[in-house]
Amino acid sequence: MKNLILAALLLTLFSCRKDINSTQVQDGNVSNSTQVGKRIYFNNPGNWVDQNFSYSPGDTFVLKSNISYTYFSMANVHDVTFINEGGIVHLQNGFNFNSCSNITITGTGSQEFYGFEISDPTANGVGIDINGKSKHITCNNIYIHDKTYGYWVKQEVASTCDQSLYYPNWYMDSISIYNCMIKRMNQEGMYIGSTGENADRPNSCGQYPYPMRLSNISVHDNIVDSTGRGGIMLSGADKGKNEIYNNKISRCGFEMNSYQGNGIVIGGNSYANIDNNTIKNTLCDGIWILGCGTTRVRGNTIDSSGWLNGVYAGYMHGIAFDTRKSYPFKLSSFRIRSNIIGKHTDGADIYIYNTMQNDQGKAVSGFDTQKNLVYNNNKGGAKVAVQNGIVYSTTP
């Protein structure tokens, strides 16, 4: 009897707690409650763009599956979680986070694996756009399909003259994307960091600044399938621990551009650990590295580089490295080990280029001669080709 009474009291307490910590959004407003840990419900359909409402750090913003949402755009929102409830929540234009921090967008609010689904019948726009002075943002269990980009994580210089958003004044730090599925993008599945890393793109004020850079980027356990350009692109990540691992990437390059159809790309002023990914049917290279610093490529399975839907593109490798100008100047190095590389359209499974070792007599890019490793790829039988000046070890 005592146990029954105790259970009843606990049930009553938890029921009261749920009621106390729930706040309903009505007509764009939230009650003035300041209690930490509320569940704030968005009960109106359509767009939510920079709404002014009260919330406290630790609150949870709840989107319900029986409401038709279009777009969530938030600026300067901090320390909250977005979650689905009641099933899959559908959005057409997705999420935009401008100068937000400590945000989690998680589709784990119901039994479905992907609790958020973002798609556009006209296949336009970005699924999740993270820009401005954003940092510490996690996105997981989200299905994005039929858009232009799945993820856009950067601030291009063309869109602002605000010097505080340029390198070295701002780093977009600690962005994590995992357990997501991205299908049928017109361009990149994930476009993380600007590819205009060498101050070669103007802003609207006629200046040519260096774009903001990134640090501590983590992309893992995602599915990326059928992209117009590359699967996962990371540029400008020159600090912290950057990692791309356990992803399944397939069918990249439907734009049929022989420069834009790689599975994973590391762009300028960037490095990462690229481990245990499965990459198949890319118009271009399976993995293409153009960054600086040390990039590790380990334990990946790559097949059919240069073949996409019956289209053949020559001179494509499983893994390729090259250098580009870096600022400030920093040598590149590679550690390529224990990868399985299947068929491709070049004689070499792994190709190391050296196209920019010296520019007009200045060492603006190049490979370190002390830190490079190529070991145990295709169980020791990989074909490796290098251009002049490349030095590497075959023993770890």
Side-chain angles (χ1 to χ4, degrees):
M1 179 64 70
K2 289 181 180 180
N3 290 338
L4 290 174
I5 293 171
L6 178 60
L9 286 171
L10 288 171
L11 179 60
T12 302
L13 286 171
F14 282 120
S15 298
C16 291
R17 181 183 177 90
K18 182 178 180 181
D19 292 337
I20 290 170
N21 289 343
S22 295
T23 300
Q24 304 292 315
V25 175
Q26 301 289 353
D27 300 323
N29 295 312
V30 178
S31 70
N32 292 324
S33 171
T34 58
Q35 183 172 348
V36 173
K38 300 184 302 295
R39 289 178 69 85
I40 299 176
Y41 285 81
F42 290 78
N43 290 329
N44 294 330
N47 293 324
W48 291 85
V49 180
D50 297 337
Q51 300 286 332
N52 291 318
F53 53 83
S54 61
Y55 72 93
S56 300
D59 285 350
T60 299
F61 293 173
V62 183
L63 282 66
K64 300 172 70 173
S65 63
N66 61 348
I67 296 176
S68 180
Y69 305 102
T70 305
Y71 184 47
F72 268 76
S73 178
M74 300 285 176
N76 298 300
V77 173
H78 309 281
D79 305 294
V80 298
T81 295
F82 286 78
I83 198 168
N84 66 303
E85 182 178 282
I88 298 173
V89 171
H90 298 268
L91 298 99
Q92 178 173 314
N93 294 329
F95 293 94
N96 179 79
F97 297 99
N98 180 356
S99 300
C100 297
S101 66
N102 298 316
I103 302 290
T104 297
I105 311 100
T106 178
T108 57
S110 61
Q111 64 181 359
E112 293 82 4
F113 190 78
Y114 302 110
F116 286 114
E117 182 176 349
I118 303 169
S119 66
D120 186 339
T122 62
N124 286 319
V126 180
I128 296 182
D129 187 342
I130 301 170
N131 57 80
K133 291 184 178 179
S134 292
K135 61 180 180 179
H136 297 279
I137 294 182
T138 297
C139 307
N140 65 276
N141 295 82
I142 300 164
Y143 176 29
I144 304 171
H145 61 94
D146 298 291
K147 301 285 287 182
T148 302
Y149 302 95
Y151 282 86
W152 177 281
V153 184
K154 57 178 178 170
Q155 182 73 53
E156 291 286 10
V157 299
S159 60
T160 179
C161 291
D162 184 352
Q163 297 289 326
S164 69
L165 288 168
Y166 302 151
Y167 173 81
N169 300 320
W170 184 258
Y171 270 79
M172 187 178 285
D173 182 61
S174 297
I175 307 298
S176 177
I177 302 169
Y178 67 93
N179 285 350
C180 294
M181 181 162 63
I182 299 169
K183 298 187 72 172
R184 296 188 298 277
M185 297 296 109
N186 287 333
Q187 295 205 1
E188 278 81 9
M190 300 186 194
Y191 201 158
I192 305 174
S194 174
T195 49
E197 280 298 320
N198 289 311
D200 51 6
R201 297 177 182 176
N203 63 15
S204 59
C205 302
Q207 303 163 329
Y208 285 79
Y210 286 91
M212 69 165 57
R213 294 195 183 163
L214 298 85
S215 53
N216 297 303
I217 304 300
S218 180
V219 177
H220 65 90
D221 293 285
N222 302 286
I223 297 171
V224 180
D225 176 69
S226 299
T227 60
R229 293 190 170 188
I232 298 172
M233 162 87 75
L234 175 64
S235 295
D238 68 347
K239 283 177 58 176
K241 183 179 181 181
N242 304 305
E243 52 188 6
I244 301 172
Y245 65 94
N246 290 353
N247 301 284
K248 295 180 179 179
I249 303 167
S250 58
R251 299 191 293 181
C252 300
F254 281 100
E255 187 179 87
M256 298 303 166
N257 181 334
S258 60
Y259 295 94
Q260 299 279 3
N262 305 282
I264 295 174
V265 183
I266 302 298
N269 291 306
S270 194
Y271 62 81
N273 292 333
I274 304 172
D275 297 337
N276 303 315
N277 300 281
T278 300
I279 303 170
K280 188 174 183 179
N281 289 114
T282 58
L283 185 69
C284 302
D285 298 321
I287 298 176
W288 179 222
I289 311 298
L290 297 167
C292 64
T294 300
T295 289
R296 183 181 74 200
V297 180
R298 182 181 67 183
N300 300 280
T301 300
I302 304 166
D303 188 49
S304 299
S305 304
W307 277 280
L308 179 66
N309 261 31
V311 176
Y312 171 94
Y315 308 106
M316 299 302 173
H317 323 92
I319 299 169
F321 272 71
D322 201 355
T323 59
R324 293 294 183 266
K325 293 181 181 180
S326 59
Y327 178 81
F329 171 68
K330 187 176 184 179
L331 290 171
S332 299
S333 60
F334 51 87
R335 304 188 67 79
I336 309 169
R337 61 182 300 171
S338 303
N339 300 282
I340 300 298
I341 301 169
K343 69 176 183 178
H344 48 82
T345 62
D346 189 79
D349 301 314
I350 299 168
Y351 203 110
I352 313 298
Y353 294 87
N354 201 12
T355 59
M356 298 187 70
Q357 177 72 43
N358 191 288
D359 182 26
Q360 297 180 351
K362 297 179 181 179
V364 296
S365 81
F367 284 106
D368 194 313
T369 59
Q370 304 298 319
K371 298 180 180 180
N372 302 312
L373 171 70
V374 181
Y375 171 74
N376 197 39
N377 297 283
N378 281 0
K379 298 182 179 180
K383 297 178 180 178
V384 181
V386 299
Q387 292 188 340
N388 290 336
I390 304 296
V391 178
Y392 65 90
S393 172
T394 57
T395 56

